[in-house]
Amino acid sequence: MTATDPALTALAQSWCALSLLHGRIEAHLERTLQASHDLSVREYSLLDVLSRQHNGPGGHLQMKQVADAVVLSQSATTRLVTRLEDRGLLSRYLCATDRRGIYTDVTEAGLALLAEARPTNDTALREALDEAAKDPELTPLVRAVEALRIPTSV
């Protein structure tokens, strides 16, 4: 394959379309969550991921797992956790079995904000997908997203 191979060009165009869809959705979610709940998309995602933790085996996530789930570097995730902790939405504590491990949990205030923001997020996501579906280049991607049934575990 050469750089001008039609298959590579089509692949690059498909990637651009996927990137465009992601950007449009994220921008709409960001505006809506910020305006309604003073939350960024990343903050919402972090609260959502951490709210699914439990005390059973494998119930708490290491910071690397959290970083992977919210698609940030470990250092950016730590800064994000600190910001939300400063707002009283998260708390950190040492792991009882491994003093090197630090867990992060969503506080009652964080759970309340997440419950309040979830319908806003879901509505904004639907709006963004509906708007994107009007673009013939993005319609197949929107339909693919709508058809996905991914388990809710992290």
Side-chain angles (χ1 to χ4, degrees):
M1 285 187 173
T2 65
T4 57
D5 186 304
L8 288 177
T9 301
L11 185 62
Q13 288 173 334
S14 296
W15 169 245
C16 287
L18 181 60
S19 181
L20 176 63
L21 177 62
H22 176 268
R24 285 185 182 180
I25 291 170
E26 188 166 55
H28 186 68
L29 290 173
E30 185 75 30
R31 285 189 305 273
T32 305
L33 287 169
Q34 280 290 348
S36 301
H37 306 285
D38 193 29
L39 278 176
S40 71
V41 170
R42 298 289 189 214
E43 290 167 339
Y44 175 87
S45 296
L46 180 62
L47 289 172
D48 184 51
V49 165
L50 292 176
S51 74
R52 296 185 196 150
Q53 295 185 125
H54 57 84
N55 288 327
H60 281 90
L61 301 174
Q62 298 172 351
M63 285 303 283
K64 182 186 181 335
Q65 293 170 302
V66 173
D68 290 346
V70 295
V71 194
L72 290 172
S73 68
Q74 283 186 262
S75 61
T77 301
T78 299
R79 288 190 300 274
L80 182 59
V81 165
T82 300
R83 277 198 317 272
L84 292 175
E85 186 178 35
D86 290 347
R87 290 176 59 186
L89 304 174
L90 298 178
S91 63
R92 287 187 248 197
Y93 62 93
L94 291 175
C95 172
T97 58
D98 181 358
R99 304 293 288 175
R100 297 170 297 171
I102 298 174
Y103 290 144
T104 303
D105 276 340
V106 182
T107 64
E108 289 302 317
L111 289 172
L113 181 57
L114 180 61
E116 186 181 301
R118 185 169 278 127
T120 304
N121 181 77
D122 293 349
T123 298
L125 177 57
R126 180 74 267 157
E127 291 167 354
L129 286 169
D130 288 348
E131 186 61 30
K134 295 175 186 175
D135 182 335
E137 183 181 16
L138 300 180
T139 301
L141 293 172
V142 170
R143 299 297 169 243
V145 168
E146 292 171 335
L148 288 174
R149 297 291 179 253
I150 299 174
T152 57
S153 64
V154 178

